[in-house]
Amino acid sequence: MLVLFETPAGYSLFKCSKESEFEKTDVADINDAFFQTASSAHDFMQLVSFQPFQDTADAVSAAASCIDGSVGSSLQKFLKKQLKQHKSESLAVADPKLGLSIKESLLKGGATTTVVVHNPKTLELFRGIRLHLEDLLGQDTISHDDVKAMQLGLSHSLSRYKLKFSADKVDTMVIQAVGLLDELDKEINTYAMRVKEWYGWHFPELQGIVGDNAKYAQLVLKCGFRNHYRETDLSQIIEDETMEAAIKEAAEVSMGTEVADLDIVNIQSLSEQVLSLTEYR
């Protein structure tokens, strides 16, 4: 049995030297039986071939292909070359989707009829190889420091690649922005309605004259009590002189009830929140 193992540095192909013993061993006992030490792992798994990546771009492309479950050109060439020399061997893979793609690719090319394997036992093989990867590859193939450096570089490059080429990223941001606007509109309307209901006890006629929520909140903040409207300049809030005059006239003859200073303070505090949300929107 051959085992395809992807590393940050390149593709590696291992051969199981005790396949008959491996088949008879229970899944739970595989680690203790074959991967207890680095020496036992080396006796059980031998490195057949190692193909390093040419550069970081090649590594990112290969990793992205494996994540998608597809066979990249470099992996396809590597497998075709190696499986021609081991026609009777099965091939263990870590990902069933990738295994299916490998099988289809090899059959399509007519290179081999290799059986692709993925089961709980082969997963234990990958765990053991990952545990003793440095010893199985050997210092002559690649050093431990190089593997660590390539692992770090590949993880950063792959993250940037996935962020850059996320097809749904822009759409997701637009959808979230639209959703945020809807939520803000609901909050503004709710707060403005409370201001008008509360302030309406004191100056009910204002709501019929000023329909804009922001302007209504500004008037409440600037004037407070209705008897202040007559002596207050509202031109910065109300540009229409006719409307300004109507507001002042209504304030003089308003049928609203008197309210306490604390009530006005609370209403003005709520008006500030309306203006703050409106500005944020």
Side-chain angles (χ1 to χ4, degrees):
M1 177 188 291
L2 299 176
V3 181
L4 175 64
F5 191 87
E6 303 89 1
T7 74
Y11 296 114
S12 57
L13 195 65
F14 294 94
K15 180 176 173 60
C16 177
S17 61
K18 302 176 182 179
E19 188 171 353
S20 58
E21 296 181 26
F22 171 72
E23 293 295 340
K24 296 177 183 178
T25 306
D26 292 335
V27 175
D29 299 328
I30 290 177
N31 184 69
D32 293 335
F34 302 107
F35 297 102
Q36 189 67 32
T37 63
S39 177
S40 61
H42 197 275
D43 291 338
F44 179 58
M45 302 296 296
Q46 282 83 42
L47 179 65
V48 175
S49 180
F50 178 80
Q51 177 177 295
F53 296 127
Q54 297 178 357
D55 49 31
T56 305
D58 186 25
V60 171
S61 177
S65 297
C66 289
I67 292 173
D68 295 336
S70 59
V71 182
S73 58
S74 59
L75 177 58
Q76 187 175 17
K77 292 177 182 178
F78 174 69
L79 289 177
K80 281 186 177 181
K81 180 181 178 181
Q82 296 301 321
L83 293 178
K84 282 182 180 179
Q85 304 172 17
H86 305 84
K87 294 183 178 180
S88 60
E89 300 285 353
S90 58
L91 178 66
V93 296
D95 182 15
K97 187 177 179 181
L98 177 61
L100 181 61
S101 299
I102 290 174
K103 185 176 181 180
E104 292 176 352
S105 175
L106 295 176
L107 289 176
K108 185 177 180 180
T112 182
T113 56
T114 300
V115 177
V116 180
V117 183
H118 172 80
N119 53 50
K121 282 191 173 184
T122 59
L123 290 179
E124 291 299 317
L125 288 180
F126 287 100
R127 288 181 59 192
I129 293 174
R130 191 176 296 109
L131 180 63
H132 301 288
L133 182 61
E134 299 171 23
D135 297 296
L136 292 175
L137 289 178
Q139 290 293 326
D140 295 337
T141 304
I142 188 170
S143 67
H144 170 67
D145 293 337
D146 289 340
V147 171
K148 291 296 183 183
M150 291 177 181
Q151 186 176 25
L152 180 62
L154 178 60
S155 62
H156 288 173
S157 299
L158 186 60
S159 297
R160 288 194 297 267
Y161 172 86
K162 293 179 71 176
L163 287 173
K164 182 178 180 181
F165 292 101
S166 177
D168 299 330
K169 182 181 177 182
V170 177
D171 291 343
T172 301
M173 293 176 65
V174 172
I175 292 171
Q176 290 178 346
V178 172
L180 177 59
L181 286 175
D182 290 340
E183 291 296 327
L184 284 173
D185 287 337
K186 291 179 182 179
E187 290 295 323
I188 292 171
N189 289 333
T190 301
Y191 279 47
M193 183 175 64
R194 295 292 177 265
V195 171
K196 291 179 179 180
E197 287 179 355
W198 203 348
Y199 194 67
W201 287 99
H202 180 59
F203 190 5
E205 294 82 4
L206 182 61
Q207 183 174 351
I209 301 172
V210 181
D212 185 83
N213 293 332
K215 290 182 178 180
Y216 190 98
Q218 288 175 336
L219 289 173
V220 173
L221 277 174
K222 190 165 187 176
C223 298
F225 291 100
R226 64 170 182 259
N227 57 2
H228 294 164
Y229 281 86
R230 172 63 66 181
E231 58 192 32
T232 304
D233 181 16
L234 307 178
S235 59
Q236 293 183 350
I237 302 174
I238 306 298
E239 298 178 356
D240 189 347
E241 295 181 357
T242 304
M243 181 180 293
E244 180 180 353
I247 293 172
K248 293 181 177 181
E249 183 179 350
E252 291 292 327
V253 296
S254 176
M255 298 180 62
T257 184
E258 296 297 329
V259 293
D261 292 345
L262 182 60
D263 292 329
I264 291 295
V265 170
N266 289 327
I267 295 171
Q268 288 179 329
S269 176
L270 194 57
S271 299
E272 288 178 352
Q273 295 184 47
V274 172
L275 294 176
S276 177
L277 287 173
T278 304
E279 182 181 0
Y280 177 65
R281 186 191 183 283

